[in-house]
């Protein structure tokens, strides 16, 4: 299959769409800058297109996360922003956590994020404030002008629904 | 007892002694309840890491990447022009060999079935029309001009309108004649369903022709034809795997689920009794899981009879 064939392009697009968001979030966890993270992942995919063959890589997920990790730390070094925290993170990502485990972790986050967005509006809003913004139940109640009792109820219901959705997705 | 609220409080460790007793009782009532609570606790832990998780714009990133690669390709082509000229002699020799192989291949193609799309691929026609083929489906070319196709499974068609040209799709239960429109076809061993998003198509079966316009969905199982008018938002669902409902009355949701899953739900009460509205997105879910979700959100009660689900009541 050549790079120009329609089948190759659509295979590449499927991979891009599946991994772009979790890869950007992964890079952002290193770079702490969403614009830089997006640039880094653009570089990763450009190189992936130019130098690799989508249909010959057995595990594109591990491959892409490995490239994303390398690229993100390269960017930090080139900008001389390699802090103690970043050094510690690099060691952790290299020594402690295998890339396979890291990529699984981010793919799980992606699924959770997508499935929360599929919940009914009220459940979705409350779970997002709780899990994405880190609000307490009381803060959510104040923010949405509802009772804490309603928040507790919607958190329980939202998680029961989310479990059903995740059971099928995983 | 509101088990949702008790779970919500339990996750923060704020439950009272009475609530804890109720929860313990609920856990012992059914094995499934225990599994559900364990699953929820796991989800609660997993989602701790979601803080700061963002939704980056994948479509614009893909467009940017394609533009970069296309510029890169142009530059590369200019640079390699001299080299290309040098290899012209070689190319002409190789081309002659390929021509012979190609003619042989064309001969073979006309002698056998040609699958032009399967498993979520997009097949583009010369006039810009596109056909998206769902997972586990085959789109087979039935003439060399790409005007007649045979479909096994599901596909979504966006056909450009052209004078004096029509596309035909052949299925086990009828043929679909198209001039210019967007529509979905689901062709199974048991029935064929046609759902029109835009324009008009004719659904021809053995004893007649059914003209279908935007918003209409028709299903034929060899015996009877059922036609409904629905919102066309989900007509591509066989390809995308997604069903989206935003404040949609339950009876319409049921009709839409019947369109998607092939008449698997029976309404045991009058449609008008179901005044509830549904707001949710279902991705790649089986019907049993969707009904389970609806039982949590709108108190839907149902039971299974042979291979169909019967809706008994709702309590929203």
């Amino acid at each position: 299959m050549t790079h120009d064939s329609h089948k190759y392009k659509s295979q590449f697009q499927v991979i891009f769409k599946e991994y772009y968001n979790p890869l950007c979030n992964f890079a952002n966890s290193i770079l702490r800058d969403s614009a830089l993270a997006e640039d880094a992942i653009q570089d990763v995919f450009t190189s992936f297109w130019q130098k690799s063959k989508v249909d010959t890589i057995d595990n594109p997920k591990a491959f892409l996360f490995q490239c994303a990790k390398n690229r993100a730390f390269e960017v930090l070094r080139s900008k001389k922003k390699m802090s103690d925290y970043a050094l510690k993170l690099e060691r952790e990502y290299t020594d402690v956590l295998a890339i396979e485990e890291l990529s699984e972790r981010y793919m799980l986050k992606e699924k959770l994020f997508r499935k929360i967005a599929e919940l009914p509006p009220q459940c979705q809003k409350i779970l997002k404030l709780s899990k994405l913004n880190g609000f307490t139940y009381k803060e959510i109640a104040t923010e949405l002008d509802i009772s804490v009792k309603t928040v507790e109820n919607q958190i329980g219901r939202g998680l029961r629904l989310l479990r059903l959705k995740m059971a099928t997705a995983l | 007892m509101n088990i949702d609220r008790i779970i919500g409080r339990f996750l923060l460790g704020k439950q009272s002694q009475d609530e804890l007793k109720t929860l313990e009782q609920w856990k012992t009532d059914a094995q499934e309840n225990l599994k559900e609570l364990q699953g929820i606790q796991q989800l609660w832990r997993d989602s701790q890491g979601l803080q700061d998780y963002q939704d980056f714009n994948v479509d614009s990133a893909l467009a940017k990447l394609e533009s970069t690669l296309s510029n890169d390709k142009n530059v590369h082509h200019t640079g390699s022009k001299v080299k290309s000229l040098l290899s012209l002699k070689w190319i002409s020799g190789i081309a002659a060999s390929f021509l012979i192989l190609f003619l042989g291949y064309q001969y073979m193609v006309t002698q056998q079935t040609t699958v032009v799309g399967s498993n979520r691929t997009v097949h583009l026609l010369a006039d810009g029309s596109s056909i998206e083929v769902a997972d586990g489906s085959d789109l087979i070319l039935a003439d060399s001009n790409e005007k007649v196709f045979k479909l096994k499974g599901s596909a979504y068609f966006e056909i450009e309108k052209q004078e004096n040209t029509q596309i035909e799709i052949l299925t086990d239960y009828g043929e679909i004649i198209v001039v210019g429109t967007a529509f979905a076809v689901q062709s199974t061993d048991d029935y064929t369903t046609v759902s029109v998003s835009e324009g008009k198509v004719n659904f021809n079966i053995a004893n007649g022709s059914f003209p279908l316009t935007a918003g209409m969905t028709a299903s034929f199982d060899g015996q009877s034809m059922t036609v409904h008018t629905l919102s066309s938002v989900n007509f591509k669902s066989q390809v995308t795997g997604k069903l989206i409902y935003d404040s949609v009355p339950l009876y319409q949701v049921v009709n839409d689920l019947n369109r998607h899953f092939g008449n698997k739900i029976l309404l045991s009460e009058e449609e008008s009794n179901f005044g509830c509205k549904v707001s949710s997105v279902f991705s790649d879910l089986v019907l049993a899981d969707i009904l389970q979700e609806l039982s949590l959100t709108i108190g839907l009660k149902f039971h299974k009879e042979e291979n169909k689900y019967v809706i008994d009541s709702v309590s929203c």
Side-chain angles (χ1 to χ4, degrees), chain A residues 146-163:
Chain A
I146 53 177
S147 67
V148 172
K149 197 173 157 184
T150 305
V151 176
E152 290 166 348
N153 194 31
Q154 291 287 329
I155 290 275
R157 178 178 292 189
L159 286 166
R160 292 179 78 189
L161 287 169
L162 193 58
R163 179 184 160 267

Side-chain angles (χ1 to χ4, degrees), chain B residues 27-95:
Chain B
K27 269 163 58 180
T28 50
D29 282 348
Q31 183 67 19
E32 179 52 34
N33 291 351
L34 176 64
K35 271 167 61 184
E36 186 174 359
L37 190 64
Q38 287 168 341
I40 287 169
Q41 286 177 289
Q42 183 64 46
L43 268 182
W44 185 253
R45 285 190 292 272
D46 288 342
S47 54
Q48 303 294 358
L50 275 181
Q51 221 158 329
D52 299 327
Y53 201 85
Q54 293 180 41
D55 194 7
F56 291 91
N57 191 333
V58 180
D59 290 332
S60 78
L62 183 59
K64 186 179 167 189
L65 181 73
E66 281 172 345
S67 155
T68 309
L69 292 174
S70 139
N71 291 340
D72 192 46
K73 195 176 163 188
N74 290 339
V75 170
H76 175 75
H77 279 176
T78 314
S80 60
K81 205 171 176 181
V82 178
K83 203 174 168 186
S84 297
L85 284 170
L86 288 172
S87 39
L88 206 58
K89 272 188 180 175
W90 277 100
I91 290 169
S92 55
I94 293 165

Side-chain angles (χ1 to χ4, degrees), chain B residues 101-171:
Chain B
L101 286 173
F102 177 73
L103 290 172
Y105 171 74
Q106 282 292 85
Y107 173 76
M108 281 164 61
V109 161
T110 54
Q111 301 301 306
Q112 65 190 26
T113 305
T114 310
V115 177
V116 289
S118 60
N119 292 335
R120 271 196 173 166
T121 54
V122 182
H123 179 64
L124 296 171
L125 306 186
D127 65 0
S129 299
S130 68
I131 306 169
E132 283 185 62
V133 186
D135 271 344
S137 304
D138 281 334
L139 180 73
I140 299 155
L141 194 60
D143 83 333
S144 55
N145 296 321
E146 292 205 312
K147 298 295 176 202
V148 185
F149 297 91
K150 176 131 182 78
L151 179 65
K152 275 283 180 194
S154 303
Y156 190 80
F157 298 77
E158 287 183 73
I159 305 297
E160 293 291 325
K161 189 168 184 168
Q162 285 188 341
E163 279 193 23
N164 304 323
T165 307
Q166 62 180 28
I167 300 274
E168 290 175 47
I169 296 112
L170 312 176
T171 72

